[in-house]
Amino acid sequence: MASARVVSTCLFVALLTCTLRCSQCVKLSNIILILTDDQDVEMGGMTPMKKTKALIGDAGVTFSNAFTVTPLCCPSRSSILTGKYPHNHLVRNNSISGNCSSTTWQKEAEPFAFPVYLNKLRYQTFYGGKYLNQYGSKDAGGVGHVPPGWDQWHALVGNSKYYNYTLSANGKEEKHGDNYEKDYLTDLGKHWLLRQPANPMPNSSVEYLDNAYRRRWQTLLSVDDMVEQLIKKLDSIKELSNTYIFYTSDHGYHTGQFSLPIDKRQLYEFDIRIPLLVRGPGIKPKLTLQSPVLNIDLSMTILDIAGVNLSTVNMDGQSFLPQMVSAPSLRNGTERPFFLVEYTGEGHSSEDPSCPKLGPGLAECFPDCVCEDAFNNTYACVRTLKDANLQYCEFADNESFVEVYNLTSDPHQLENIVKKVDPALLQIMNQRLIKLESCTGDSCRNVK
């Protein structure tokens, strides 16, 4: 069981390519989005990616302050597809009841995802890899459901697996086995949940983490090779100079921080920071940008590249294309002063049979019965970088728990300073949070 868990937490790659479908059309740029699953940047997650950093980062721009707006797979991927915060696309977690690939999502959100806009512009679109965690399940319409906007669809059924998996190949079931050559897919006090793990970690947890960390790096090496092959192919067909390539992840990951074993879902930097490298026409090589960008900005940026009139698009994010191609003096005007990170916790209505002492309401309790999630691990945070490097978070629990961190003096978020800071600052951050939690479209980009 432990080894299966390690495999399921490894990285998975989604590719989205867009090329024009007719020779008569005006020649637009190709767009490729490479999206890994659960890749951190705080604990060396990019260390094995030497080829990727050289071929994309050194050839273009590296964003040193890229964030997800929610640190869990399905809500984050839904934000990438729609360009919206979770409170607007309403995907709360990885379950059907949490709106992950549900029929409601399919009716109300998928028709307005960015590939639909690209398809209308006569782009030819392709998707391959993990989509949403509940995709392909019976309650989500099975493998026959192909989201609108995709000309070629090769999506994984369910969550990340590398062997013995099933794909939806343009709506038809395609089963794969365990042959590597044929089937390997990628080649204070803090909140109570953080107070429950034993410190120091028991040896059994440490061994589990070491094994998982090695496997994750091994998987990343396969991703790195894939990126190299992709770029060589584009170069051989003389399309590299006309192609934007994005490399990022759906969220970060933790492997032992605060004695939490291995997962995501938390509000801390290791779970919300993501890698983001981009190369393409007009982007100068070896450029590093400090301005904060979010995963909800990816859709708007892709549509901006494609020439879509962004004023006609109902999304919460903003295009960061001007930051990449403009002169330095013109970039500052597009920088957001603060942004929202939000998450709705998951739990089981009954107790976990393997951890009967813990009771109901918890989830992801492994190894040694350390739980990574709970119903009341539901929070919303304001993150600022421009004027002050702060994070302010409110939990929806019976404690009304608040966490505040000054990441300039405390980059590892060791001390919750909620009782030490000026109450006036807490009030300002609370008011910003209220506005962000109710924002939509333009109001998300113009919160003061």
Side-chain angles (χ1 to χ4, degrees):
M1 186 67 182
S3 61
R5 177 71 196 185
V6 170
V7 171
S8 71
T9 55
C10 287
L11 300 175
F12 204 95
V13 178
L15 292 176
L16 302 85
T17 65
C18 309
T19 55
L20 284 176
R21 67 173 80 235
C22 66
S23 58
Q24 296 89 349
C25 299
V26 176
K27 180 74 170 177
L28 296 178
S29 295
N30 308 310
I31 305 167
I32 298 176
L33 172 59
I34 303 170
L35 179 67
T36 61
D37 196 35
D38 299 359
Q39 186 175 3
D40 69 279
V41 291
E42 291 292 289
M43 289 293 289
M46 285 298 292
T47 302
M49 310 297 289
K50 295 180 180 179
K51 298 173 184 176
T52 300
K53 288 188 286 187
L55 294 170
I56 301 180
D58 289 350
V61 58
T62 299
F63 288 89
S64 59
N65 285 309
F67 295 86
T68 181
V69 297
T70 183
L72 189 64
C73 304
C74 201
S76 175
R77 288 167 177 265
S78 301
S79 287
I80 291 170
L81 288 162
T82 64
K84 294 184 177 183
Y85 281 114
H87 70 264
N88 286 327
H89 62 58
L90 302 180
V91 177
R92 295 301 189 182
N93 51 49
N94 287 343
S95 65
I96 286 285
S97 61
N99 203 28
C100 179
S101 202
S102 68
T103 54
T104 300
W105 156 265
Q106 293 169 13
K107 292 176 182 177
E108 298 181 3
E110 279 185 343
F112 303 99
F114 76 81
V116 176
Y117 292 92
L118 295 174
N119 212 247
K120 291 177 180 178
L121 290 175
R122 304 184 68 83
Y123 268 80
Q124 183 177 359
T125 56
F126 167 90
Y127 192 100
K130 177 178 174 179
Y131 181 56
L132 302 175
N133 294 57
Q134 294 296 328
Y135 174 76
S137 67
K138 183 178 179 181
D139 292 337
V143 298
H145 173 68
V146 177
W150 298 108
D151 296 302
Q152 293 292 322
W153 178 256
H154 299 269
L156 179 73
V157 173
N159 198 13
S160 301
K161 292 177 70 177
Y162 299 95
Y163 297 106
N164 301 308
Y165 57 88
T166 300
L167 296 179
S168 170
N170 295 318
K172 295 183 179 180
E173 184 178 75
E174 182 179 287
K175 289 186 176 293
H176 290 260
D178 57 4
N179 183 287
Y180 182 87
E181 285 75 16
K182 293 180 180 179
D183 299 312
Y184 188 67
L185 201 56
T186 62
D187 208 59
L188 213 111
K190 296 182 184 297
H191 189 240
W192 77 268
L193 201 63
L194 276 294
R195 301 197 294 263
Q196 42 127 16
N199 193 358
M201 267 188 174
N203 288 336
S204 56
S205 292
V206 173
E207 291 173 5
Y208 179 94
L209 287 178
D210 286 346
N211 185 40
Y213 204 82
R214 281 191 295 270
R215 288 174 179 244
R216 288 171 60 79
W217 271 35
Q218 289 166 353
T219 306
L220 276 172
L221 291 172
S222 294
V223 176
D224 204 33
D225 289 340
M226 184 213 70
V227 171
E228 181 185 41
Q229 294 166 13
L230 175 66
I231 290 177
K232 284 183 176 179
K233 181 64 176 178
L234 288 168
D235 192 35
S236 70
I237 61 175
K238 296 182 170 44
E239 287 289 347
L240 183 59
S241 62
N242 189 43
T243 301
Y244 287 90
I245 304 174
F246 296 75
Y247 181 93
T248 188
S249 182
D250 50 4
H251 46 70
Y253 210 65
H254 58 259
T255 49
Q257 295 96 320
F258 297 143
S259 291
L260 290 173
I262 184 167
D263 201 54
K264 49 268 185 175
R265 308 168 197 262
Q266 308 306 328
L267 58 89
Y268 307 103
E269 295 285 280
F270 43 73
D271 280 2
I272 66 173
R273 281 187 177 267
I274 55 176
L276 179 57
L277 313 175
V278 188
R279 66 172 290 168
I283 301 177
K284 293 183 178 180
K286 297 185 178 180
L287 183 65
T288 300
L289 294 180
Q290 305 288 338
S291 300
V293 293
L294 310 178
N295 60 347
I296 57 173
D297 299 335
L298 285 165
S299 290
M300 290 287 268
T301 305
I302 289 171
L303 296 184
D304 197 6
I305 291 169
V308 173
N309 182 351
L310 298 185
S311 66
T312 66
V313 178
N314 181 23
M315 294 183 176
D316 302 335
Q318 62 189 42
S319 171
F320 54 82
L321 180 61
Q323 294 186 42
M324 297 191 290
V325 300
S326 299
S329 60
L330 301 177
R331 291 178 191 146
N332 293 334
T334 60
E335 184 173 333
R336 52 168 57 84
F338 46 82
F339 56 90
L340 175 69
V341 176
E342 54 186 338
Y343 176 64
T344 301
E346 290 183 81
H348 300 299
S349 56
S350 59
E351 65 184 26
D352 187 335
S354 61
C355 303
K357 295 182 179 180
L358 298 179
L362 302 167
E364 304 298 318
C365 299
F366 67 94
D368 300 313
C369 291
V370 175
C371 300
E372 299 278 0
D373 209 1
F375 282 132
N376 63 3
N377 185 38
T378 296
Y379 58 81
C381 304
V382 177
R383 183 73 170 85
T384 70
L385 284 99
K386 189 174 182 180
D387 297 321
N389 195 6
L390 298 173
Q391 185 177 30
Y392 171 92
C393 302
E394 295 181 1
F395 282 83
D397 61 8
N398 57 12
E399 293 181 300
S400 297
F401 203 81
V402 177
E403 294 189 31
V404 183
Y405 298 97
N406 181 336
L407 284 99
T408 299
S409 59
D410 180 22
H412 301 297
Q413 296 169 289
L414 300 177
E415 182 184 10
N416 180 0
I417 58 172
V418 64
K419 295 184 178 180
K420 295 183 179 180
V421 297
D422 187 341
L425 176 61
L426 297 180
Q427 185 175 7
I428 291 172
M429 298 295 272
N430 171 262
Q431 291 302 307
R432 287 175 174 174
L433 186 59
I434 291 172
K435 292 178 181 177
L436 283 169
E437 285 189 284
S438 61
C439 76
T440 180
D442 284 340
S443 64
C444 295
R445 296 185 286 272
N446 297 308
V447 176
K448 302 297 183 183

